[in-house]
Amino acid sequence: MIRLAFITLTLSSLLSAWWLAGVTGEALLLPLPLQQLDHFRLNRNLKSYLDKIDVLIEPSSTVCSQKKDIPVLVLVTSSPSRFDHREAIRSTWAKHLPTYFIMGLNGPSVEDLMVDNYVEAKKYSDVIIYNFQDHYQNLTLKTALMLKWTSEHCPTELMLFKTDDDVLVNPWMMKRVLEETSGSDLVGYRKMNNYLHRDEYSKWYSPRWLHRQDFIPEYLSGTGYLINGKLIKKILETAFEVPMINLEDVYFTYLVSKLKLGLKLTHDHRLSPYKPLLSLGCLYAGLASAHSLTPEEMLNAWPRVEGPLPAKSFCDRFVDTYWNEWFLY
Ligand SMILES: *[C@@H]1O[C@H](CO)[C@@H](O)[C@H](O)[C@H]1NC(C)=O
């Protein structure tokens, strides 16, 4: 009897120790993020993806069908649920630049959001929705759809600015960038001598089976870059020959544009992937775009960008004399 009790006790303590180890072990080791890159194992041919994707919602008439000379067209990658981000953009910089939002479908809850997105699209005529699954890992597809949409709807004499919905654009500085870089192939914030993230916990994780080389000599940051309209069709068609990877900026600006087509990537620090450390007027005035702003931050920063003209001429002097990348993060 005593022996049985002893065995039970030992067994149960062993079991609970094992269970405890399991629980604490799991708590200490973060679960691996679900990367959802598996569809690339089956298919990495951009054209075959695009052939299956139809446009569901788009404005019946756009600035491209109405006007002839549009210096710049802005296409923003967004996603169905980010209403606040789009609202912030519409009430700030998009008042001064022709801007459209591109997104996919929201997965299982598609029906609910689709109604809201449909109402939104009717109200603003600036929403383009394609039937593919909206996901961070599908950004390459989203950018490809931007190129496709622009080449189908717009004249080639424009610059396409591809950007995100957490980016604040300064339309006045953007105009200056456009004038100064006119005729360039691609313009953006050029990142030099980088290594791909092989760490599965990273948001930018890209496995070796997708791209063997670790080293990326140069690419333009995906937070915002300009593409010459004359090259859009060529870039898209060339991409059909380059196996897709999940990093849209490395893919389109380096692998397709630079490596395969030999196009020039022009660096302009004013198309910044960072934002000013302090929300000071002149820091924003010195940039054509700033990245990673919440809708609230965007609304708060806007008056400093939009500021009255006398303040601007002061800023011009400030920017020319004192402006420094150290002000950014
Ligand atoms: C990306 O879109 C394709 C086409 O709709 C889909 O098959 C794939 O599952 C999507 N990937 C993710 C990670 O959602």
Side-chain angles (χ1 to χ4, degrees), residues 35-37 39 49 53 131-138 141:
Q35 293 288 356
Q36 305 197 3
L37 290 165
H39 64 107
Y49 277 98
I53 300 176
N131 70 337
F132 73 104
Q133 203 188 329
D134 205 300
H135 190 279
Y136 186 72
Q137 297 293 13
N138 262 341
L141 272 182

Side-chain angles (χ1 to χ4, degrees), residues 1-13:
M1 199 59 198
I2 291 169
R3 192 192 282 173
L4 192 69
F6 178 72
I7 291 174
T8 333
L9 200 73
T10 329
L11 256 180
S12 60
S13 54

Side-chain angles (χ1 to χ4, degrees), residues 80 83 105-119:
F83 295 99
L105 297 174
N106 207 39
S109 58
V110 48
E111 278 110 356
D112 303 340
L113 276 184
M114 203 47 181
V115 174
D116 294 342
N117 289 143
Y118 183 74
V119 173

Side-chain angles (χ1 to χ4, degrees), residues 253-273:
T253 67
Y254 174 62
L255 292 177
V256 177
S257 299
K258 176 79 201 174
L259 204 58
K260 190 98 180 170
L261 277 170
L263 298 176
K264 185 159 184 262
L265 308 184
T266 302
H267 177 64
D268 197 307
H269 71 267
R270 292 168 293 186
L271 296 173
S272 177

Side-chain angles (χ1 to χ4, degrees), residues 172-210:
W172 296 275
M173 191 51 104
M174 180 61 85
K175 235 163 253 170
R176 198 185 287 181
V177 169
L178 286 166
E179 283 161 15
E180 290 173 11
T181 61
S182 138
S184 303
D185 296 343
L186 291 99
V187 186
Y189 196 97
R190 193 175 51 190
K191 302 225 173 175
M192 304 289 286
N193 305 333
N194 274 272
Y195 289 86
L196 286 185
H197 294 254
R198 303 301 195 185
D199 165 16
E200 284 187 65
Y201 290 98
S202 163
K203 187 183 177 190
W204 298 281
Y205 170 62
S206 201
R208 270 206 181 75
W209 58 262
L210 266 181

Side-chain angles (χ1 to χ4, degrees), residues 22-33:
V23 170
T24 47
E26 256 168 47
L28 289 175
L29 233 176
L30 286 166
L32 272 178

Side-chain angles (χ1 to χ4, degrees), residues 138-153:
N138 262 341
L139 266 180
T140 307
L141 272 182
K142 212 181 273 183
T143 306
L145 290 165
M146 283 184 168
L147 301 182
K148 188 176 143 154
W149 191 86
T150 309
S151 72
E152 286 168 358
H153 292 82

